[in-house]
Amino acid sequence: MFGTVVVGVGIAGLARIRDLMNPMPSSPSENLKLIGFVSRRSFGNINEAKQITLEDALRNKEIHAAFISTENRSHEETIRMFLEAGKHVLVEYPMTLSAKAAHELWAMAEQKDKVLHVEHIELLTEEYKQLKKEVAGKDLVKGTLHFTGSVLDENKAGFPAFSGIARLSWLIDLFGDLTVTSATREKQKDKNYSRMTVHFQTANK
């Protein structure tokens, strides 16, 4: 069995704990054993999953891989700690708040012969696979992607563009590399409102 730890117990972390404790029959997840989870908040246990300290997770020889589901800003530091401890790492997107840091961490993982995987679960859904089939072989002439959400805490989530990075990776996966041609941001503090509008161009313009 391959020992794992989940770091962070927000929506994504709780889903990881659930899936690791109840793996789909005959799936690779059946070979994963959840040793525990790490959180700044005190839970004790979640279902039968045991809360452990970050230090225990880093030292425990039975833990081979970490699933990182914390806020965006802490991803880089947490990845670095687990790679230095000799663990494989799966992290929710975005991996870091800068491309430079991401490249450094990938180089570190390669040097230590560890897997560093950025997870974007939406790209594995049946709905997305169907969308990819529908656009295959077609040229994108023009399109708009609009999505809404609650106002993010920039201290934890990073610059607002990171809240849309999931959709950006959709577009790149569907249509290839994109170039930013313009970007604007509108803020209305009194209404707790923020909007970012970005225009992209595909390789064939």
Side-chain angles (χ1 to χ4, degrees):
M1 295 292 282
F2 204 73
T4 63
V5 63
V6 172
V7 184
V9 288
I11 294 171
L14 288 171
R16 293 276 177 210
I17 291 170
R18 178 200 65 207
D19 293 346
L20 286 165
M21 295 189 74
N22 302 284
M24 290 181 66
S26 303
S27 73
S29 297
E30 284 192 315
N31 298 311
L32 301 177
K33 179 184 178 184
L34 181 64
I35 305 295
F37 68 90
V38 174
S39 176
R40 289 188 302 264
R41 294 172 289 167
S42 180
F43 287 95
N45 288 0
I46 295 177
N47 297 327
E48 293 174 21
K50 180 176 140 190
Q51 184 165 5
I52 61 176
T53 67
L54 178 60
E55 292 72 23
D56 287 343
L58 292 168
R59 283 196 305 257
N60 193 328
K61 301 294 184 195
E62 289 183 36
I63 294 175
H64 306 101
F67 291 75
I68 298 173
S69 306
T70 56
E71 66 272 5
N72 296 345
R73 192 168 291 281
S74 68
H75 286 182
E76 179 183 344
E77 181 186 2
T78 312
I79 292 167
R80 199 178 298 279
M81 285 192 290
F82 278 96
L83 287 177
E84 284 173 350
K87 318 287 188 190
H88 301 287
V89 176
L90 178 146
V91 61
E92 306 288 342
Y93 64 84
M95 183 164 84
T96 63
L97 299 188
S98 78
K100 180 176 180 285
H103 287 292
E104 285 173 2
L105 290 173
W106 266 314
M108 183 179 178
E110 191 171 345
Q111 178 192 359
K112 291 187 171 290
D113 198 27
K114 297 298 170 189
V115 173
L116 173 54
H117 172 70
V118 185
E119 182 83 319
H120 184 358
I121 200 74
E122 291 175 2
L123 299 184
L124 305 176
T125 63
E126 291 307 316
E127 294 89 344
Y128 182 79
K129 289 176 185 174
Q130 184 58 39
L131 175 63
K132 194 161 183 177
K133 280 182 190 171
E134 288 174 17
V135 304
K138 296 178 182 173
D139 286 326
L140 176 65
V141 178
K142 190 175 183 181
T144 301
L145 181 63
H146 179 206
F147 61 97
T148 60
S150 58
V151 178
L152 295 174
D153 179 346
E154 291 188 31
N155 289 326
K156 293 181 178 178
F159 187 68
F162 279 92
S163 65
I165 205 163
R167 276 65 193 183
L168 178 57
S169 53
W170 278 27
L171 294 176
I172 291 172
D173 189 58
L174 292 170
F175 304 112
D177 286 345
L178 302 171
T179 302
V180 178
T181 57
S182 68
T184 58
R185 184 181 180 193
E186 174 191 348
K187 286 181 82 173
Q188 296 178 22
K189 279 193 174 178
D190 56 325
K191 296 181 181 175
N192 205 23
Y193 173 83
S194 176
R195 180 170 94 174
M196 175 168 276
T197 304
V198 185
H199 293 96
F200 299 105
Q201 199 168 66
T202 59
N204 61 2
K205 311 293 183 192

